[in-house]
Amino acid sequence: MLLDIVINKSVTALSVPWWKVVYDFSALTEWIDKSLHNAMSPFWTTIMELLIIGVLILLFYALVGLFLVYAERKVCAFMQNRLGPNRVGPFGIFQTIADLFKLLFKELVPIKNADGFLFNLAPFIVIIASFMAIAAIPFAKGLQAVDLNIGVLYVIAVSAMGVIGVLLAGWSSNNKYSLIGAMRSGAQIVSYELSVGLALITIVILAGSMQLSVIVEAQRDGWFIFKGHIPAFLAFIIFLISSTAETNRGPFDLAEAESELTAGYHTEYSGIKFAFFFLAEYINMFIVASIAATVFLGGWMPFHVGHWEGFNHIMDFIPPFIWYIGKTFFVIFIMMWFKWTFPRLRIDQLLTLEWKYLLPINLVNVLIMAFIVLMGWHF
Amino acid sequence: MEEKEKIATPDELQEYFINMGPQHPSTHGVLRLLVSLKGEMVQSVQPHVGYIHSGIEKMCESITYPQIIHLTDRMDYLSAHINNEAVCLNVEKALEVDIPDRIKVIRTIMSELTRIQSHQLWWASFGMDLGGLTCFFYGLRDREKVLDIFEETCGGRMIVSYSCPGGLMYDIHPNFQKRVKDFIKYFRKILPEYDQLLSGNVIFHERSKGIGKLTKEDAISFGITGPSGRASGFSCDVRKHEPYSAYDRVHFNEVLLTEGDTFSRYIARIEEMRESMNIIEQLIDNIPEGPFTVKMKPVIKLPEGEYYQRVETARGELGVFVISDGNKNPYRVKFRSPNFCNLSVLDHISRGFKIADLVAIGGSLDLIIPDIDR
Amino acid sequence: MDKIQLGEFINSIAGALEIKEGNQYLEVTVPPSLLYKLARQLREKEESQFDFLFCITGVDYGADLGVIYHLRSTIYDHSVVLKTRTSDRENPILDSVADIWHAADFHEREVYDLLGIKFKNHPDLRRLFLDNSWGFPLRKDYVDDVNIVTK
């Protein structure tokens, strides 16, 4: 059926190369939508579509989670002159799956005097927050669950919800280390949310839209990090720093600070509940990396250089999904690089960095960007 | 009025306690710190030790002098050879035995190698305390090379038991000189890597400068010796003040700094590794020929009296105080362990800092718990 | 100051004490009543300035319990050993020197823990290694049938 569409389309529009048609997922999704409509009532169509998307995202979620854990281990091993996992399966790729089973079978230790309901609720809030954010991310052309017209705002809002789970986890564990970790995390995420938002607003000004698909489309002739002169580059750097902080990673992992707070807010969690926190951390990293890739590095848009037609054609030949994944993992690699190189900051230094440096720079940056856009100085 | 006094002020209510340890990643063993906090600010630190008190001093009273050597390995397990040497020197001093130069030189080289590997492990774990997990693997990677040298010559890697009263257990391995020279060459090249990874890092500077300041007066009064004391300007290097073994024939600098904060304690140790390499380089080509042990009586009996021997371990001044009543067993042995004194200052210098700083200060003092408990 | 001068100096500030020239350090035997006064003077007098207390050892001499203080001056680089004894084995009490040298704080707690010698005016005299139900293991008459194997 797919082939049928491809042939039909390429027959009708001969000027478009065939791969551009194949890489456009909107034809596929439209076809699924149409055939579902033909088969059942609109109500059931919506239900079916929700189910399909839910299952797909769930699958994607699990795969990305597993792969990121493996990638982190390998990158970390590379940074530390080690080999990393290399026993379970070829190159140890099944190591994380084995670990997943280990975590699944582990005992869920009940905590005396813990607030049972909140204690069990917390991991779900954390994981749902990261789950929801995936919905708005454009993986390729037409491959996006919901294309909200306030996509950027939605992603910021939803991914910040995770902090509630962290705070609940810390508070309900009835453990002082957890509580300190949770309070740190609260202070940290609330502060760095500002920088993340402002860095994205800089680009929203440049793009003139909050809709993620429009933002990606606007980067057809060049990525925003190149188009927006220095302010866009600055915004990218700030976004990298503050999103690392927001995901409780790298030199900003104060909430779980192993050497200070043993494991911070998830000290008391075990088994699959701990796995939820663990997975959510990696998915959050994936989300912020894909936001960075979408907003600054052109999302699924191939790399184009001005009027080099030949070069641009070759770039077009690489599927957009690969472009998207490649950019995302480039950002993820940078974040892992941070984590395994830098020592941890102290909580007051962390907040100083945000309120005294990043925030003022960011505000000025937004102003400069607005000025550039007004004068039409961008490319 | 009386009732009013009973009610705690909001300020007092904020104070709470956490137990750092006995199982905690950054107490490096079974040390328990009862930390009183207000928010994240440390109000006081009460060390609770004794979780691995093994009664070494009591055990020494019922065993012979050569046997004591093997217990000292287990005290400060990272300065195992230097501990051995301290007991040997004390016994040899009491018996007035003349030790040939070969033994002295080999002991000195081994001591300095021990110091280097101890500081390497300290650097590894200190980096980890501050959250730089990569340091751990870099430190241990290089330490492995020293341990391999130990293994070849002594059989043991960490617990070497290489010295014995009257000399050494065995002669050095034929490869010893070559491997040590190779190691020095390698480590001279690799030490700048440590600086690149940690010493020059902005975050590390922020985390360590001005943290846990210890004045010279306090350092002397608390008896803080070793690199921690020298970072405060307390000239306490036994190798300089009371040279033992072959330290009187080598040139090296006593690393003295003045700030006394966590950063200078860090720098003191890094520099000490360089000085240790200098010492080894001066000696490694000039190991005199001769026997590796002096013939001693089968049963060593110290003449009646009191003998005190100070040596410089990787963490400070170790004193071995032996009271002998003329028997083959000592009447009383006291180990003045450097970590025991260094721990006592923790409360004094970490008040008013944050938990994260407490971890950094504890790491910079380089505490080894079996040496505290003995 | 060398040993002889030091001995004369100590005699001049504390009266006639039993001073022995040991094989390494000058050993001064002090009665418990004079200990604190002598220690403070040794610390504060311009000529001696013993500012570094590097070791405190508790010893069980059989009949007596003793404490040995090793002092050094970081300014003049001379050392002295103070020895004191008490014949009271049931309730031995000595003066604490913890307010003169901070190092004495932990060392005296250790001596108290292992030998049961109490120190008057110590800021925080609790057992250090062992819990309160233990005896005092470094005393020669300490018996422990379970943990100590005698041949």
Side-chain angles (χ1 to χ4, degrees), chain B residues 49-60 71-72 74-76 83 318-319 332-341 343 368-374, chain C residues 55-57 106-107 109-111 114 128-130 138:
Chain B
V49 294
Y51 284 87
I52 36 174
H53 177 66
S54 47
I56 286 180
E57 287 174 11
K58 181 76 179 173
M59 277 196 270
C60 289
L71 290 182
T72 56
R74 275 84 183 165
M75 283 176 7
D76 183 352
N83 297 352
L318 172 76
R332 169 89 168 92
V333 179
K334 159 86 184 179
F335 294 106
R336 184 258 186 227
S337 68
N339 288 301
F340 183 72
C341 301
L343 175 70
I368 295 289
I369 315 305
D371 195 31
I372 296 169
D373 285 359
R374 279 160 290 139
Chain C
C55 191
I56 293 183
T57 313
F106 262 47
H107 275 119
R109 272 179 72 185
E110 189 194 0
V111 171
L114 301 177
L128 190 60
F129 302 125
L130 309 171
L138 278 184

Side-chain angles (χ1 to χ4, degrees), chain C residues 37-54:
Chain C
K37 209 175 127 223
L38 178 65
R40 182 161 276 285
Q41 276 173 323
L42 285 177
R43 169 73 186 86
E44 282 168 0
K45 281 271 196 243
E46 198 59 41
E47 298 92 325
S48 54
Q49 294 217 22
F50 286 102
D51 50 0
F52 181 28
L53 170 77
F54 59 100

Side-chain angles (χ1 to χ4, degrees), chain A residues 105-141:
Chain A
F105 287 125
K106 267 197 164 178
E107 187 191 357
L108 291 170
V109 182
I111 309 299
K112 217 178 183 181
N113 297 331
D115 188 327
F117 176 66
L118 296 181
F119 185 74
N120 292 324
L121 182 68
F124 289 98
I125 292 182
V126 172
I127 209 156
I128 287 170
S130 62
F131 202 86
M132 281 163 79
I134 284 192
I137 292 168
F139 294 105
K141 192 172 187 189

Side-chain angles (χ1 to χ4, degrees), chain A residues 19 21 24 27 102 138 160 166 188 205 215 226 236 286 291 302 353:
Chain A
W19 61 78
V21 183
D24 190 350
K102 181 202 76 177
V166 171
Q188 182 179 338
I205 291 169
I215 290 178
F226 304 126
F236 179 65
F286 179 78
I291 296 293
L353 174 70

